[in-house]
Amino acid sequence: MLPLEGITVVALEQAVAAPFATRQLADLGARVIKIERPGTGDFARHYDRTVRGMSSHFVWLNRSKESLALNLKHPAAGEIMDALLEQADVFIQNLAPGAAERLQLGAEALSERFPRLIICNVSGFGPSGPYSEKKAYDLLIQCETGLVSITGSEDTPSKTGISVADIAGGMYAYSSILTSLLQRHQTGKGTVVDVSLFDALAEWMGYPMYYTRYGGSAPLRTGARHASISPYGPFAAGDGKTVFLAIQNEREWERFCTEVLQQPEVATDRRFLSNSLRVKHHEALRELIMQVFREQTAAEIIRRLDRAQIASAELRDVNAFLEHPQLWERNRVRKVNSPAGEIDALLPPVIPRGIQPVMNPIPEVGEHSEAILRELGFPSASIQRWSIESVIG
């Protein structure tokens, strides 16, 4: 039996944060009914067409779900939503601020009608405060939390290459729903959870927050080099490739000097006696390291680092990541069906032992509408009439 088998999630979701949370619930066996706009569906379906005509974001976030196309402004929508929520365990939504309330799907109203329902609202800034009504997208949250200000090169602040605010919000939505299910098991009562992208990413900004509050200045933008640990970052090898390495403590520093640089005297150089001093004199240390690395290939450097038990990495592009031996030798790739045929998908990062995660197809818009409505008891004639009206409504 799958861990979440028997749990039904109704998801009024779009874009990344809420779909990321619900896909992980689906991976573990929850039934996820995704409510989409008739015709166009979740707007993330149209971000790009790179996966055999499908959006890369949508493919990533929406396997194993059932799609119900529903015009929430249609007169029949309230009755349909009530029928869905009557048998649901979880309702999650990430509409624009105030939209759920205008549709009579606000947390207070739903909690009164469905006391066992777990309600998860995902928003940009949370339900209160001066920014509560403000629309928010991933990059904007990265800006508001200060992440962009500490990311990038000295001259150019940059966003991260992935939707880190959305992912943070999705992870907290996922974990809070699991926690709420445990709580309901103990109390028999549902609950309301408010997850904001701002709060989620603010938590992830913990190190720069403390560094700035008590150090007097923010961490510097240092590109791929760590702002407060040295040596930690990229170094060019003699063959033109780039090797990343990370020193975490003084034992590693001594081994690095003795076994990798093969210059044990560097470990006791007064400029480098502590991490703080190494950060202060990072340019001199970098040049010293480069004098050694210029004479070695990347493979040779990594062999030395491995022998010394110093953490290291190759700088891979995404194509190289797709061929990574750690993925393929651990059988981390599966085939998932889609409207465009089979595509590759990664297994979930956490799978309880003895469990096979759900890797079901990516749905078309409204693919499961008729089956869901029949299951809810709507007669065939009204389903047909509703379906036509909902599309043109």
mmCIF file of all heavy atoms in Angstrom, residues 60 67 88-89 215 220 281 320 323 347 353 361 364 375 379 388:
data_model
loop_
_atom_site.group_PDB
_atom_site.id
_atom_site.type_symbol
_atom_site.label_atom_id
_atom_site.label_comp_id
_atom_site.label_asym_id
_atom_site.label_seq_id
_atom_site.Cartn_x
_atom_site.Cartn_y
_atom_site.Cartn_z
ATOM 1 N N TRP A 60 7.075 18.643 -15.766
ATOM 2 C CA TRP A 60 7.780 18.410 -14.505
ATOM 3 C C TRP A 60 6.812 18.293 -13.328
ATOM 4 O O TRP A 60 6.982 17.447 -12.449
ATOM 5 C CB TRP A 60 8.776 19.557 -14.300
ATOM 6 C CG TRP A 60 9.369 19.714 -12.929
ATOM 7 C CD1 TRP A 60 9.817 18.724 -12.100
ATOM 8 C CD2 TRP A 60 9.602 20.946 -12.235
ATOM 9 N NE1 TRP A 60 10.309 19.269 -10.933
ATOM 10 C CE2 TRP A 60 10.193 20.627 -10.997
ATOM 11 C CE3 TRP A 60 9.381 22.286 -12.554
ATOM 12 C CZ2 TRP A 60 10.553 21.598 -10.071
ATOM 13 C CZ3 TRP A 60 9.743 23.256 -11.638
ATOM 14 C CH2 TRP A 60 10.319 22.913 -10.421
ATOM 15 N N SER A 67 -7.224 15.673 -14.417
ATOM 16 C CA SER A 67 -7.600 17.036 -14.787
ATOM 17 C C SER A 67 -9.107 17.153 -14.951
ATOM 18 O O SER A 67 -9.720 16.453 -15.755
ATOM 19 C CB SER A 67 -6.902 17.448 -16.092
ATOM 20 O OG SER A 67 -7.362 18.726 -16.512
ATOM 21 N N ALA A 88 -13.158 15.102 -0.123
ATOM 22 C CA ALA A 88 -11.725 15.374 -0.193
ATOM 23 C C ALA A 88 -11.110 15.427 1.205
ATOM 24 O O ALA A 88 -11.786 15.696 2.205
ATOM 25 C CB ALA A 88 -11.468 16.688 -0.924
ATOM 26 N N ASP A 89 -9.811 15.184 1.266
ATOM 27 C CA ASP A 89 -9.044 15.341 2.506
ATOM 28 C C ASP A 89 -8.296 16.668 2.535
ATOM 29 O O ASP A 89 -8.079 17.242 3.606
ATOM 30 C CB ASP A 89 -8.036 14.194 2.636
ATOM 31 C CG ASP A 89 -8.707 12.846 2.695
ATOM 32 O OD1 ASP A 89 -9.216 12.490 3.779
ATOM 33 O OD2 ASP A 89 -8.755 12.165 1.648
ATOM 34 N N GLY A 215 27.084 41.047 11.459
ATOM 35 C CA GLY A 215 28.406 41.314 10.908
ATOM 36 C C GLY A 215 28.553 42.728 10.371
ATOM 37 O O GLY A 215 29.665 43.163 10.063
ATOM 38 N N LEU A 220 29.175 39.436 0.276
ATOM 39 C CA LEU A 220 29.479 39.992 -1.036
ATOM 40 C C LEU A 220 29.015 39.044 -2.141
ATOM 41 O O LEU A 220 28.959 37.835 -1.951
ATOM 42 C CB LEU A 220 30.987 40.228 -1.168
ATOM 43 C CG LEU A 220 31.608 41.218 -0.181
ATOM 44 C CD1 LEU A 220 33.126 41.224 -0.351
ATOM 45 C CD2 LEU A 220 31.042 42.614 -0.388
ATOM 46 N N HIS A 281 42.333 37.018 2.634
ATOM 47 C CA HIS A 281 43.451 36.969 1.689
ATOM 48 C C HIS A 281 43.154 36.008 0.535
ATOM 49 O O HIS A 281 44.063 35.339 0.019
ATOM 50 C CB HIS A 281 44.725 36.521 2.416
ATOM 51 C CG HIS A 281 45.152 37.440 3.517
ATOM 52 N ND1 HIS A 281 45.684 38.682 3.290
ATOM 53 C CD2 HIS A 281 45.086 37.287 4.862
ATOM 54 C CE1 HIS A 281 45.966 39.269 4.442
ATOM 55 N NE2 HIS A 281 45.617 38.445 5.419
ATOM 56 N N ALA A 320 25.400 17.337 -19.612
ATOM 57 C CA ALA A 320 26.275 16.430 -18.863
ATOM 58 C C ALA A 320 25.568 15.889 -17.624
ATOM 59 O O ALA A 320 25.743 14.723 -17.252
ATOM 60 C CB ALA A 320 27.560 17.147 -18.472
ATOM 61 N N GLU A 323 23.445 12.925 -18.349
ATOM 62 C CA GLU A 323 24.192 11.677 -18.533
ATOM 63 C C GLU A 323 24.952 11.269 -17.274
ATOM 64 O O GLU A 323 25.800 10.389 -17.319
ATOM 65 C CB GLU A 323 25.172 11.835 -19.707
ATOM 66 C CG GLU A 323 24.516 12.177 -21.039
ATOM 67 C CD GLU A 323 23.486 11.131 -21.451
ATOM 68 O OE1 GLU A 323 23.723 9.933 -21.201
ATOM 69 O OE2 GLU A 323 22.433 11.519 -22.000
ATOM 70 N N LEU A 347 12.779 9.897 -10.799
ATOM 71 C CA LEU A 347 12.066 9.427 -9.625
ATOM 72 C C LEU A 347 12.038 10.521 -8.563
ATOM 73 O O LEU A 347 12.914 11.384 -8.529
ATOM 74 C CB LEU A 347 12.759 8.187 -9.053
ATOM 75 C CG LEU A 347 12.588 6.873 -9.812
ATOM 76 C CD1 LEU A 347 13.477 5.817 -9.190
ATOM 77 C CD2 LEU A 347 11.138 6.424 -9.798
ATOM 78 N N ARG A 353 11.480 2.845 1.650
ATOM 79 C CA ARG A 353 11.897 1.516 1.192
ATOM 80 C C ARG A 353 10.688 0.599 1.042
ATOM 81 O O ARG A 353 9.778 0.594 1.858
ATOM 82 C CB ARG A 353 12.901 0.909 2.168
ATOM 83 C CG ARG A 353 14.257 1.576 2.103
ATOM 84 C CD ARG A 353 15.310 0.773 2.819
ATOM 85 N NE ARG A 353 16.616 1.427 2.714
ATOM 86 C CZ ARG A 353 17.743 0.907 3.201
ATOM 87 N NH1 ARG A 353 17.718 -0.266 3.814
ATOM 88 N NH2 ARG A 353 18.884 1.560 3.061
ATOM 89 N N PRO A 361 0.526 9.076 -16.045
ATOM 90 C CA PRO A 361 0.654 10.039 -17.148
ATOM 91 C C PRO A 361 0.397 11.491 -16.745
ATOM 92 O O PRO A 361 -0.212 11.797 -15.717
ATOM 93 C CB PRO A 361 -0.402 9.567 -18.150
ATOM 94 C CG PRO A 361 -0.586 8.124 -17.853
ATOM 95 C CD PRO A 361 -0.427 8.008 -16.374
ATOM 96 N N GLU A 364 -4.187 15.595 -20.220
ATOM 97 C CA GLU A 364 -4.711 16.655 -21.082
ATOM 98 C C GLU A 364 -5.645 17.529 -20.246
ATOM 99 O O GLU A 364 -6.163 17.100 -19.210
ATOM 100 C CB GLU A 364 -5.524 16.037 -22.233
ATOM 101 C CG GLU A 364 -4.709 15.245 -23.233
ATOM 102 C CD GLU A 364 -4.251 16.105 -24.414
ATOM 103 O OE1 GLU A 364 -4.132 17.341 -24.245
ATOM 104 O OE2 GLU A 364 -4.005 15.516 -25.480
ATOM 105 N N GLU A 375 -18.679 10.045 -11.290
ATOM 106 C CA GLU A 375 -18.387 9.510 -9.957
ATOM 107 C C GLU A 375 -19.097 10.316 -8.871
ATOM 108 O O GLU A 375 -19.539 9.760 -7.852
ATOM 109 C CB GLU A 375 -16.876 9.543 -9.737
ATOM 110 C CG GLU A 375 -16.414 9.029 -8.391
ATOM 111 C CD GLU A 375 -14.919 9.217 -8.195
ATOM 112 O OE1 GLU A 375 -14.179 9.283 -9.206
ATOM 113 O OE2 GLU A 375 -14.503 9.309 -7.038
ATOM 114 N N PRO A 379 -25.838 13.409 -13.535
ATOM 115 C CA PRO A 379 -26.395 12.587 -14.618
ATOM 116 C C PRO A 379 -25.775 12.936 -15.962
ATOM 117 O O PRO A 379 -25.283 14.042 -16.189
ATOM 118 C CB PRO A 379 -27.891 12.936 -14.597
ATOM 119 C CG PRO A 379 -27.969 14.265 -13.930
ATOM 120 C CD PRO A 379 -26.844 14.301 -12.939
ATOM 121 N N ILE A 388 -20.372 21.665 -22.337
ATOM 122 C CA ILE A 388 -20.439 22.643 -23.437
ATOM 123 C C ILE A 388 -20.488 24.059 -22.861
ATOM 124 O O ILE A 388 -19.746 24.942 -23.280
ATOM 125 C CB ILE A 388 -21.669 22.372 -24.325
ATOM 126 C CG1 ILE A 388 -21.523 21.018 -25.007
ATOM 127 C CG2 ILE A 388 -21.847 23.479 -25.365
ATOM 128 C CD1 ILE A 388 -22.795 20.543 -25.692
#
